[in-house]
Amino acid sequence: MSAISRLKYGSPNRFEAFSWYFMRVSGAVLLLVAVLHLLIMHVWYGVDAIDYRFVVGRWASPLVQVYDLALLLFAITHGVNGTRWVIDDYIHSRGWNLTLKAALYVLTVIFILMGATVIFTFDPDTSTTALNTVAAVFAR
Ligand code: HEM
């Protein structure tokens, strides 16, 4: 984040210092968690083995649920904080700056709730295909 943006849209306070460190720490965590995810899903199992049942079936294990939640939370919070920096650096109209960041935070909450709900509430025995699940929701 540039010094000008910091002065305009927020003081160089403790939150910004925390946010700077957070990007380093979450980047290091992502390096481990995201690369391991890639290796497990795309090298070990391989894309041919991955279908809807396989994905929801993995969540029968609490360890996989926690792992996927960590991947979700770190990727979203890291990505959102980085996007917040980009908005502060490039969007200098105060109205647009606030509007975009408000939209970003609303989407963040929605995506975290959606992701966590899917990870923790899916029942692989009753959900055979994505289409069936969508149909079941509309049939209620
Ligand atoms: C291996 C995984 C990753 C590592 C090691 C990593 C590392 C970093 C670091 C160190 C920064 C700070 C750069 C700076 O201060 O100028 C950063 C910025 C950023 N990261 Fe990541 N990151 C990773 C994955 C991701 C993912 C998955 C996303 C998107 C969801 C993302 C989105 C961003 C954004 C938007 C920024 C701000 C860019 C900017 O300031 O111009 N990163 N990343």
Side-chain angles (χ1 to χ4, degrees), residues 15 52 55 59 74 106:
F15 174 74
Y52 179 78
V55 172
W59 290 325
F74 275 103
V106 170

Side-chain angles (χ1 to χ4, degrees), residues 37-99:
H37 165 88
L38 200 80
L39 288 178
I40 293 172
M41 298 297 277
H42 300 271
V43 179
W44 184 321
Y45 290 115
V47 280
D48 292 347
I50 300 175
D51 59 11
Y52 179 78
R53 260 199 97 72
F54 172 85
V55 172
V56 295
R58 285 175 75 244
W59 290 325
S61 156
L63 193 71
V64 177
Q65 286 180 316
V66 171
Y67 185 96
D68 283 359
L69 183 70
L71 186 59
L72 171 76
L73 291 181
F74 275 103
I76 285 194
T77 48
H78 177 101
V80 165
N81 196 43
T83 307
R84 183 179 68 85
W85 287 3
V86 173
I87 292 173
D88 276 347
D89 278 346
Y90 291 100
I91 311 295
H92 300 294
S93 139
R94 189 160 179 78
W96 277 113
N97 183 287
L98 292 177
T99 306

Side-chain angles (χ1 to χ4, degrees), residues 20 23-24 26-28 30-31 34-35 75-76 78-79 82-83 85-86 89:
W20 189 90
M23 290 306 269
R24 269 79 199 152
S26 56
L30 278 173
L31 205 55
V35 170
I76 285 194
H78 177 101
T83 307
W85 287 3
V86 173
D89 278 346

